[in-house]
Amino acid sequence: MKFHSFYRRQIGGSGVASRRSPTARHRRLMAELNRLRENSGLSRVEVAERIGSTDTTIWRYETGLTRPKPTDVAALTTVYGVTGQERDSLIQMAREARQRGWWHRHRQALKPGFDSYIGLEAEASVVRSYEPLVVPGLMQTEPYARAVIEATSITHTPSEVDEKVSVRISRQRLLHGSSDPIQLVAVLDEAVLRRRVGGREVMREQLERLVDLGRLPNVEIRVIPFSAGAHAAVDGKFCLLSFPEPEDPDLVYLEQAASGLVPEDPEEVRRYTLMFGSLTAMAFGTEASAAFIAQVAKEL
């Protein structure tokens, strides 16, 4: 394996990522505000009284339903006795959380929940993806992406399809477009390689792209052959995100036809992490997977 065990201390160290995402900053801020209030021993009602607000507002800050202004965070840090660099960092985090990522302008074209996923993916250090049906979006060629989106967007206009394709291709800058590329570990079912999406030429180009991507130091591709039989993820696709800072716990993204879900329950994330480990154990190694993909491409 090019990098092992997938724990952030082994791939990211303690340094701060150069990529910043408002969605990820908001997630961190929400967790920090929860932690600070719990450590203070104050109830939401007591905090609200001290800053001249309501307990509902404090609850909305802590659950992520409202993004607090920097001035709100400054007031809260005073109540919690936070000073110096920690206070400054939290106020800056509030500023960053209220910004808009490039994906924000496309949110109407995206399924509910997926815009949040893109925002979290933008700051992740590692993406672990299991796909049983199609190539993961981060690795799709444009013709392949268009064929997939046209097939699944049966109620969308051509312009909406174009917008979805644009978003998908833009996300791929995470693999190539910075000095801090994302680490991608993709486990693909053999069906992904056999399903002829977009026709023979489109599919051959896509498989050749996979072989090329597998040569990158930050990309690892493994294939689970049909011969492996049933496995822990036969129920469907999922994606795990890890982040460079230890304060940001891993999360799992689950996608359905009309929506996406990001459950952050630690036991749920742990279950999918164990599932992913089981899948990698059943899959071909990276070199054998590359050879297998290349052979399927030659057969087209």
Side-chain angles (χ1 to χ4, degrees):
M1 294 176 65
K2 296 171 188 171
F3 48 93
H4 32 261
S5 141
F6 312 119
Y7 292 104
R8 65 176 63 80
R9 66 176 178 270
Q10 292 171 299
I11 52 86
S14 60
V16 177
S18 62
R19 289 180 272 110
R20 279 287 184 266
S21 159
T23 309
R25 296 292 88 195
H26 183 213
R27 178 178 182 244
R28 165 73 75 79
L29 180 62
M30 178 178 65
E32 289 296 314
L33 293 179
N34 269 282
R35 179 185 64 81
L36 289 169
R37 185 182 58 78
E38 290 174 359
N39 289 347
S40 74
L42 298 171
S43 69
R44 293 192 180 105
V45 172
E46 291 171 323
V47 172
E49 289 175 347
R50 296 190 185 193
I51 67 169
S53 185
T54 67
D55 60 322
T56 300
T57 298
I58 304 302
W59 174 78
R60 291 179 67 86
Y61 291 163
E62 295 181 356
T63 56
L65 294 176
T66 298
R67 301 193 181 203
K69 298 176 183 178
T71 52
D72 299 325
V73 172
L76 289 169
T77 57
T78 298
V79 172
Y80 299 143
V82 177
T83 60
Q85 185 176 354
E86 183 180 3
R87 180 179 188 272
D88 293 342
S89 295
L90 288 168
I91 293 172
Q92 178 60 26
M93 201 179 298
R95 293 191 186 101
E96 294 174 351
R98 291 175 64 83
Q99 295 172 358
R100 292 182 174 182
W102 63 264
W103 55 89
H104 182 80
R105 65 181 181 274
H106 301 291
R107 67 190 185 283
Q108 297 301 324
L110 304 174
K111 66 180 64 177
F114 190 59
D115 57 335
S116 294
Y117 170 79
I118 293 177
L120 293 165
E121 178 189 68
E123 195 166 317
S125 54
V126 180
V127 173
R128 288 166 284 171
S129 175
Y130 166 66
E131 271 287 356
L133 299 175
V134 297
V135 172
L138 286 175
M139 300 194 292
Q140 292 179 5
T141 64
E142 186 167 346
Y144 183 98
R146 183 171 296 279
V148 170
I149 290 170
E150 286 178 343
T152 56
S153 301
I154 55 177
T155 62
H156 289 67
T157 65
S159 63
E160 289 173 325
V161 170
D162 289 343
E163 189 172 9
K164 283 176 172 285
V165 172
S166 176
V167 169
R168 187 161 300 180
I169 300 306
S170 294
R171 287 171 53 213
Q172 297 177 6
R173 290 191 295 246
L174 292 171
L175 286 178
H176 313 282
S178 75
S179 59
D180 179 32
I182 206 165
Q183 302 275 348
L184 173 63
V185 186
V187 176
L188 312 179
D189 192 275
E190 183 177 342
V192 173
L193 311 179
R194 300 292 183 184
R195 177 169 288 99
R196 196 172 293 181
V197 174
R200 184 186 300 270
E201 291 303 318
V202 169
M203 196 65 206
R204 181 187 294 117
E205 179 189 22
Q206 176 62 75
L207 294 178
E208 290 171 350
R209 169 72 64 82
L210 289 179
V211 173
D212 290 341
L213 287 173
R215 298 189 181 105
L216 295 176
N218 58 310
V219 177
E220 182 175 312
I221 302 172
R222 291 170 174 264
V223 176
I224 298 180
F226 289 146
S227 60
H231 53 70
V234 291
D235 286 341
K237 63 187 284 184
F238 65 92
C239 186
L240 287 158
L241 298 183
S242 297
F243 298 87
E245 299 177 14
E247 294 84 359
D248 296 326
D250 293 358
L251 59 81
V252 62
Y253 175 71
L254 307 174
E255 188 172 282
Q256 299 175 331
S259 64
L261 179 66
V262 184
E264 293 197 52
D265 178 73
E267 282 304 309
E268 189 83 349
V269 175
R270 178 176 178 274
R271 185 166 74 89
Y272 278 97
T273 300
L274 292 174
M275 286 171 60
F276 196 84
S278 173
L279 295 175
T280 58
M282 296 180 70
F284 290 143
T286 54
E287 293 185 5
S289 294
F292 189 83
I293 295 169
Q295 180 58 43
V296 175
K298 289 179 180 179
E299 294 171 3
L300 288 171

